[in-house]
Each structure stands twice: as structure tokens, then as C-alpha cells.
């Protein structure tokens, strides 16, 4: 699931970036935000926006409206749904030559479905990451 908006919102309401159907998910549950620090470094953070059942990052429940930094490999859990936060380099933007096998991997892999600049940023279902 590529992060295509900022903030990338998660919840049951249809206007969210990611719509979940779980009864454990609030209408507006959480958000992933792209932030730039004073040195110009891009970071991503997860925010529980006041959900009823909580948002978990690496098995720790987040406090409402308190951003938590996402790192590569961080596990996000809402209800029964779990994802791993990932960042990948864009091989196309780097001008790499591809073999047919590489092209098939890029086309078939959900983590290569969208990108911004030279990075793919998103999260994948824990089921897909196994």
C-alpha cells in the first residue's frame, strides 16, 4: 500500500486513504504523516487520531494525538490488521538496467506500485511480507 497522500489516513469512513472494514477500527482511526525536520531530513510518523480501540506500533499502544516515528520494519496494528512500514529505492529513477526477471518482480510486487522521487514509501500487509 503506497503512501499516496499526506497525511495518509486510515479508518472506516470512505474518505480515508485506506478504508478498513473491521469493527475494531474507528471511522477516523490513524494517520501516517510525512514530516521534514530542520535539517531537511524526511521522516514518517504514525498518529492515533483518537480511536476507540487503539493503534499499536511495535506492540505498544500509542497515546491519542501523539506522533510516533516510523522506522523501516516498524509494525503497525489496528484491530486484526497488521502492516510493516517499508521504504524502497526506485530502481527506475536511478536509471538501472533491468533484466526480464527484475521487470517481472517490480510489476508483481505490491511494494513497487507507486513512488515519489527516488523512494517508494508505504507499508505491506504482514501476510504479504512472509
Amino acid at each position: 500500500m503506497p503512501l499516496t497522500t499526506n497525511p495518509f489516513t486510515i479508518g472506516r469512513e470512505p474518505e480515508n486513504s485506506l478504508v478498513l472494514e473491521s469493527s475494531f477500527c474507528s471511522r477516523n482511526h490513524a494517520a501516517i504523516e510525512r514530516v521534514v525536520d530542520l535539517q531537511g531530513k524526511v521522516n514518517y510518523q504514525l498518529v492515533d487520531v483518537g480511536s476507540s480501540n487503539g493503534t499499536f506500533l511495535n506492540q505498544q499502544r500509542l497515546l491519542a494525538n501523539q506522533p510516533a516515528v516510523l522506522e523501516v520494519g516498524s509494525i503497525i496494528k489496528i484491530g486484526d490488521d497488521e502492516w510493516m512500514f517499508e521504504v524502497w529505492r526506485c530502481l527506475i529513477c536511478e536509471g538501472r538496467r533491468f533484466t526480464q526477471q527484475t521487470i517481472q518482480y517490480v510489476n508483481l510486487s505490491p511494494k513497487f506500485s507507486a513512488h515519489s522521487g527516488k523512494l517508494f514509501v508505504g507499508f505491506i500487509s504482514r501476510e504479504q511480507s512472509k
Side-chain angles (χ1 to χ4, degrees):
M1 173 74 54
L3 300 180
T4 54
T5 61
N6 189 33
F8 183 89
T9 58
I10 304 168
R12 286 194 336 257
E13 288 291 322
E15 63 269 2
N16 284 293
S17 308
L18 174 61
V19 178
L20 299 178
E21 296 179 7
S22 170
S23 61
F24 295 109
C25 182
S26 297
R27 288 181 290 197
N28 297 298
H29 196 100
I32 297 175
E33 300 171 341
R34 179 183 187 268
V35 294
V36 181
D37 67 17
L38 296 174
Q39 290 76 34
K41 182 180 176 194
V42 175
N43 293 299
Y44 291 86
Q45 57 190 23
L46 178 64
V47 181
D48 181 300
V49 295
S51 70
S52 299
N53 293 306
T55 303
F56 294 82
L57 179 60
N58 298 323
Q59 301 180 0
Q60 298 292 316
R61 186 174 180 154
L62 299 181
L63 297 173
N65 301 305
Q66 296 293 315
V69 175
L70 286 169
E71 296 177 0
V72 171
S74 292
I75 304 300
I76 302 165
K77 184 171 182 173
I78 295 175
D80 294 328
D81 295 300
E82 260 189 16
W83 306 272
M84 183 185 317
F85 180 76
E86 292 290 350
V87 176
W88 299 270
R89 288 190 330 234
C90 176
L91 303 176
I92 296 168
C93 290
E94 291 180 355
R96 298 253 181 114
R97 293 184 180 263
F98 294 112
T99 64
Q100 188 61 36
Q101 182 179 6
T102 305
I103 291 169
Q104 288 173 348
Y105 176 72
V106 169
N107 289 339
L108 294 175
S109 175
K111 59 189 175 186
F112 284 99
S113 58
H115 68 93
S116 173
K118 294 192 177 191
L119 293 177
F120 289 94
V121 180
F123 54 102
I124 58 175
S125 163
R126 287 292 298 243
E127 293 299 315
Q128 291 175 330
S129 68
K130 294 179 183 177

